[in-house]
Amino acid sequence: MRPETYIAKRLYYGNTSSHAKPAVRVALIGMIIGVLVMVVTISVVVGFKRTIVSKITGFGAHIQVLSFESNNTYEFEPIHVPDSLLTAIRAIEHVTEVNTFVTKPGIVKTDSAFQGVVFKGTDYWKWFDTNLLRGELPKTAESIMISARLGRMMRLDVDSTLLCYFVGDEVRVRKFRVSGVYETGLGEFDERFILGAISVVQRLNAWDEDEVSGIEILIDDFRYLDEARDNVYFATANRFDEESGQALHTRDLVDQNYQIFAWLDLLNTNVWVILLLMLAVSGFNIISGLIIMLLDNIQLIGLLKSLGADNRFIRRIFITDACMLVLKGMFWGNVLALALCAVQYFTHILPLDAATYYVSSVPVAFPWGWLLLLNIGILVVSFLVLLAPSAIVTRISPARVMHFE
C-alpha cells in the first residue's frame, strides 16, 4: 500500500475531530441525496419514455408503408402487397414483425351517444392481448375490441352490441358485438380505435383480399429506428403498386406522432438540468468536506512538510480521503435509489393521472449502461472539483502551523 493511501485510510477511519465530524457527515449525506436523485431521475425518465413509445408502437408500429397518395384521415388508398415485398422487408436487419392492416373512419352509435372512431382491421394481436382488460380477442367477423375509455363514454362493455356507420359512396351500417375491452392509457388513441378482423374492413371498403391500407413493421430496438426506416425505404422506394401504379411511401413512428416525441425530447432537457444541479450541490458538499478535513488536520500537514513531504504527496492524501467519502456516498446513493425504483417497479405504489401522463403509475426502468456512465461521470467530476481546494496545502507553512490550535 502506498504511504499516502495508508495515511488517508487512517484519517478516514478515525482521526476526524468531534467538531469536524458533523460537517463531514453533512457532506456525505448531501452526496448520498445527490446520487439518489440523479439515479432515480434517469430511471424514471427512461422508464417513462420506453413505456410511452411501447404504447404508441402498439397502435401504429415502428414503420409503416402506405400509398404515396394517402393522407392523415385514415381513409388510405389501397395498395397490393405481393409476398415478395413482405419477404424483402422481413429480411431487413432489426425487423421482427411485418403485418398488413386496413383502416376506415366511422361513427359508433348507441341509444345514448355516438362517437367518431377509426375501425382498424388487423391480424396482429400480440400487443393488444397484453393490454386486454377483460373479455377476449375478436374471433369472428361480428366481434370487435373497444377501449375501456370508449366503453365508459358509450356505456358499452363485453357482450354489448353497437351500430357502426361508415360513410363512402353510400352509408353502410354494421352491427357488432364487443368481445373484449383493452386499455393502454393513451386517451386520444383509446377513444379513437376499435379493432376487428382485417377481412371485415376490406369488405367495408369494397376491396379485394389482397388490397390493404398499408404494411406495419416492428423492429427489435427503437435506437435503430432511423437505420431500419432507411432500409425499408430503399426496399420500397422504387416499387409501384401493381394495379394502380402508385408509388409507396415510408413513414416512421416519430413522423406520425411528432408532438408526443417533441414532448418526450423536452424531458431530456429536464434531466440535464436536474443532473447539473445535483452535481453542483454534491460538488459543493464535497469541497466543503475537503476544506474542513484540511483545516482539521492542519498540524499534520505542517508535520509532514517538516519531515520532507512535498505538496503533491500531501494533496494526494486528502484527495484520496475525500474520494473515499465520495465512493461511500455513491454506494449508498445507488443502493437507496435502486431499492426505491425496485419497490415502484414491483408495487406501482406511486400513482399518476393516466389522462394526463398516459400511464397510471410512475414507470421506472433500469438502464444499466446509462447508470454506469452516470456513476463514472460523478466520480470523474468529484475528482476534478477536489483539485482546486486541495491547493490550500501549498499555502501552509510548517513553521506557522506546528503550534496551531
Side-chain angles (χ1 to χ4, degrees), residues 271-283:
V271 170
W272 282 111
V273 171
I274 292 174
L275 293 182
L276 291 175
L277 287 176
M278 289 298 101
L279 282 174
V281 172
S282 300

Side-chain angles (χ1 to χ4, degrees), residues 168-314:
D169 294 334
E170 59 182 16
V171 177
R172 297 187 179 187
V173 183
R174 293 291 185 273
K175 185 177 181 179
F176 295 102
R177 181 187 67 86
V178 178
S179 66
V181 176
Y182 70 90
E183 184 171 38
T184 67
L186 294 174
E188 62 179 289
F189 291 92
D190 282 357
E191 70 181 35
R192 180 189 304 169
F193 283 94
I194 59 175
L195 309 164
I198 192 171
S199 59
V200 175
V201 194
Q202 285 175 324
R203 288 197 297 270
L204 288 170
N205 284 333
W207 292 354
D208 295 333
E209 291 184 359
D210 62 343
E211 290 183 303
V212 296
S213 296
I215 307 170
E216 291 185 330
I217 303 160
L218 296 174
I219 61 175
D220 55 9
D221 195 325
F222 188 75
R223 293 176 298 175
Y224 300 111
L225 178 64
D226 291 341
E227 176 186 342
R229 180 200 59 212
D230 291 342
N231 290 332
V232 171
Y233 170 77
F234 292 132
T236 60
N238 294 324
R239 289 179 178 264
F240 294 86
D241 186 84
E242 295 179 355
E243 299 293 331
S244 64
Q246 296 177 3
L248 299 180
H249 168 60
T250 302
R251 67 180 187 181
D252 62 27
L253 193 66
V254 179
D255 296 331
Q256 302 174 61
N257 305 278
Y258 178 78
Q259 291 181 334
I260 292 179
F261 279 91
W263 172 51
L264 292 177
D265 288 340
L266 185 61
L267 293 179
N268 294 335
T269 303
N270 297 336
V271 170
W272 282 111
V273 171
I274 292 174
L275 293 182
L276 291 175
L277 287 176
M278 289 298 101
L279 282 174
V281 172
S282 300
F284 176 79
N285 286 325
I286 295 303
I287 290 173
S288 301
L290 177 59
I291 292 175
I292 290 171
M293 286 188 287
L294 287 170
L295 296 177
D296 188 53
N297 293 279
I298 195 166
Q299 289 184 325
L300 173 63
I301 295 171
L303 177 61
L304 290 173
K305 282 195 171 186
S306 67
L307 294 175
D310 59 13
N311 290 325
R312 182 177 298 179
F313 178 86
I314 299 173

Side-chain angles (χ1 to χ4, degrees), residues 343-351 360-362:
V343 169
Q344 177 63 20
Y345 182 83
F346 290 107
T347 66
H348 307 290
I349 194 172
L350 297 177
S360 57
S361 63
V362 176

Side-chain angles (χ1 to χ4, degrees), residues 70-181:
S70 296
N71 50 43
N72 293 322
T73 64
Y74 295 98
E75 192 74 67
F76 298 127
E77 292 293 327
I79 60 173
H80 294 77
V81 181
D83 291 338
S84 59
L85 176 59
L86 297 179
T87 301
I89 295 175
R90 289 191 178 100
I92 294 174
E93 188 178 8
H94 302 299
V95 171
T96 57
E97 293 282 349
V98 180
N99 304 280
T100 55
F101 71 97
V102 182
T103 60
K104 187 171 184 62
I107 298 174
V108 172
K109 184 180 183 303
T110 63
D111 294 336
S112 58
F114 64 92
Q115 174 70 27
V117 296
V118 175
F119 195 120
K120 180 175 181 178
T122 181
D123 290 327
Y124 181 72
W125 296 100
K126 182 178 179 180
W127 186 79
F128 289 101
D129 190 21
T130 61
N131 289 274
L132 185 64
L133 196 61
R134 52 187 176 271
E136 61 182 8
L137 299 176
K139 295 182 178 179
T140 65
E142 294 75 25
S143 59
I144 60 172
M145 279 181 66
I146 66 171
S147 69
R149 184 185 182 96
L150 183 61
R152 289 190 296 268
M153 294 170 58
M154 306 294 295
R155 298 181 182 177
L156 297 171
D157 210 330
V158 176
D159 290 330
S160 297
T161 59
L162 69 156
L163 295 176
C164 290
Y165 294 81
F166 301 96
V167 180
D169 294 334
E170 59 182 16
V171 177
R172 297 187 179 187
V173 183
R174 293 291 185 273
K175 185 177 181 179
F176 295 102
R177 181 187 67 86
V178 178
S179 66
V181 176

